[in-house]
Amino acid sequence: MSDGPTGEEMLLTRDGAAADLLVPDSGATAFPLAASEGLDRHVLRDLRKEEIAIARQFHGGRMWPYVAAAWGGFALWLSLFPLTMFGVVPLWLAFVVSCVLATGGYVTSHEAMHSNIRRPGARDYWINEWTGKVSTIPIVFPFSMARLMHLEHHYHCNDPLKDPDYSDEAPNALMAWYKTWFNRQPGVDGSIHAYKRILKEMGTPAAARALKDTMVLQLMFMAVLFTMAWSGYAIEAALVWWLPRHIGLSYIRFYLSWAPHHPREGRTGRYENANVFKSRLGHVMSMAMETHLVHHLYPQIPNHRTRAAYFALKPVLAKRGVDVSAL
Amino acid sequence: MQAAVQQLFKWMPFLFGIGFIAPLVAQTMAYWDLAAPFGLSRIAFGLLIGAPWGLYAVLRGRWV
């Protein structure tokens, strides 16, 4: 897709030389250079201006579907409890639906984390906040914690000490799936355990609030599971909440954290901290993560527009040295 | 208060073993029409699995 300018006409330096002619042949250098390393600061500045102009065309858009999906999904998820307990909906169907809602909830919540649904200061900003809050209840991940940790991930992407998601790194996809489970073990400093530690270290009022929210939500989760289980509905509790939560968390960790950032080591630069990759499950099933780099460059581009934004930005990204060969 | 909550979360895997795994085992056995061994009731058998497994998770820091 390329409704907007592709930018080819702007890839000229002031003296009229094509910018890509300034990119050295990597085979002729002692060290392999990314394309951007051969560009002078004037070209880089022009490329940045062009990049911003293209990206701006993809900011915003229709965001009400995220709100509808979040609230509708939450209502549907809640309804699965009585519907399965009274035998109205078969357990296998409730399980599949709950897995989809638990996983997809992170997408709607993610837009709210970046205040993409409503901007701070708007009179109806509460819509943004409540969209985020209800979205991650099925995975027992309070919005306040999710937002703080996700913004830390953006600020310190791929920093082994400061990126809260760095513990998801693994040498290959199989190990990555294993780590999504391993990091949730009670004694392992990964996933939500690492988040709790980081929030304690932050020590801010917002961090304290997030820790309190986490404690309340986790205790509520346990109270519901225990009550349902001892009332004769253990299988319903397992298939509507407990197991979908685990599957959702693993899927989210794999597709939203490992796949777009692997390999993480040493890749902290603006144009290298996320990958452009081709997912075996496709664009929708990978939750638009194939073009996650665009999200890191411009978090205000909503999830459903990152793919189109990527194809519009592709020529500029290629000039910057980004590997765009996958898509 | 904070110390009490920390202790509660420290022992949560054990409580999970009793509060959730035990009845889940018992009700799954009932669903598949399986009897508990040694003349035990299904919930007693579930507790024999859930409680030690949860305790193991507390002590070892891993469920397996």
Side-chain angles (χ1 to χ4, degrees):
Chain A
M1 173 278 164
S2 185
D3 291 330
T6 58
E8 290 292 340
E9 72 283 0
M10 293 174 72
L11 290 175
L12 295 173
T13 57
R14 283 198 174 78
D15 58 6
D20 50 358
L21 292 179
L22 297 172
V23 180
D25 175 4
S26 61
T29 60
F31 303 99
L33 296 173
S36 65
E37 292 179 67
L39 304 178
D40 68 32
R41 65 188 177 93
H42 301 289
V43 177
L44 291 174
R45 191 190 60 189
D46 288 346
L47 274 176
R48 185 66 182 273
K49 278 185 184 174
E50 185 185 352
E51 181 191 306
I52 291 169
I54 297 169
R56 274 205 183 120
Q57 299 169 33
F58 295 92
H59 282 192
R62 285 192 315 165
M63 298 304 287
W64 67 261
Y66 289 95
V67 182
W71 279 95
F74 183 63
L76 176 60
W77 178 76
L78 273 183
S79 74
L80 292 176
F81 289 90
L83 289 174
T84 51
M85 288 161 77
F86 290 113
V88 177
V89 170
L91 268 173
W92 68 266
L93 180 60
F95 170 67
V96 172
V97 171
S98 188
C99 284
V100 172
L101 294 174
T103 310
Y106 192 86
V107 176
T108 50
S109 168
H110 182 236
E111 293 307 315
M113 288 176 209
H114 289 287
S115 299
N116 285 350
I117 293 166
R118 290 290 186 277
R119 302 303 297 166
R123 207 177 60 169
D124 53 0
Y125 187 57
W126 63 270
I127 294 174
N128 184 85
E129 298 304 276
W130 278 96
T131 298
K133 284 177 185 179
V134 299
S135 294
T136 50
I137 288 174
I139 54 170
V140 196
F141 189 29
F143 179 60
S144 50
M145 173 191 258
R147 174 185 262 163
L148 277 178
M149 292 299 94
H150 186 64
L151 295 181
E152 283 292 299
H153 163 67
H154 272 264
Y155 297 147
H156 307 293
C157 191
N158 293 349
D159 182 320
L161 299 177
K162 294 179 178 174
D163 182 348
D165 295 337
Y166 199 89
S167 61
D168 293 323
E169 178 56 359
N172 54 55
L174 197 62
M175 281 299 292
W177 280 110
Y178 169 74
K179 276 197 93 174
T180 66
W181 169 81
F182 178 78
N183 281 340
R184 287 199 298 278
Q185 296 304 296
V188 175
D189 186 37
S191 191
I192 204 162
H193 306 303
Y195 287 0
K196 282 182 180 176
R197 175 180 52 76
I198 292 166
L199 286 174
K200 279 179 192 161
E201 289 167 5
M202 287 170 78
T204 61
R209 171 73 186 273
L211 275 172
K212 189 180 169 190
D213 290 348
T214 306
M215 182 191 75
V216 169
L217 188 56
Q218 288 188 329
L219 288 177
M220 198 179 78
F221 174 53
M222 287 298 147
V224 170
L225 289 189
F226 294 0
T227 304
M228 283 185 72
W230 281 93
S231 304
Y233 297 104
I235 298 174
E236 287 80 356
L239 294 180
V240 174
W241 201 353
W242 178 70
L243 195 53
R245 170 182 178 260
H246 279 287
I247 291 171
L249 282 173
S250 284
Y251 198 92
I252 290 163
R253 287 278 166 201
F254 182 84
Y255 266 114
L256 276 74
S257 185
W258 182 80
H261 291 294
H262 174 73
R264 282 184 138 98
E265 190 176 355
R267 297 174 62 192
T268 55
R270 175 175 165 82
Y271 296 93
E272 63 175 5
N273 63 20
N275 302 321
V276 176
F277 69 99
K278 181 73 183 160
S279 167
R280 288 181 186 178
L281 296 187
H283 171 67
V284 173
M285 288 293 282
S286 64
M287 297 186 286
M289 287 299 111
E290 292 174 320
T291 52
H292 191 56
L293 175 65
V294 171
H295 170 66
H296 271 265
L297 295 174
Y298 298 97
Q300 286 172 19
I301 295 177
N303 183 273
H304 68 283
R305 302 189 79 187
T306 52
R307 188 174 174 85
Y310 164 73
F311 285 113
L313 286 166
K314 190 174 174 179
V316 180
L317 297 176
K319 294 289 178 190
R320 282 281 184 179
V322 175
D323 181 1
V324 293
S325 60
L327 286 175
Chain B
M1 176 65 180
Q2 194 182 350
V5 170
Q6 279 178 343
Q7 282 300 310
L8 181 65
F9 275 97
K10 182 188 170 186
W11 287 95
M12 191 57 82
F14 178 62
L15 298 175
F16 186 81
I18 295 171
F20 188 65
I21 294 175
L24 180 62
V25 167
Q27 288 165 42
T28 304
M29 289 173 76
Y31 183 84
W32 293 105
D33 202 21
L34 297 172
F38 315 119
L40 292 168
S41 66
R42 288 178 179 130
I43 191 63
F45 182 67
L47 284 166
L48 272 179
I49 292 176
W53 195 6
L55 189 62
Y56 172 85
V58 170
L59 300 174
R60 178 88 169 77
R62 313 276 191 277
W63 280 98
V64 285

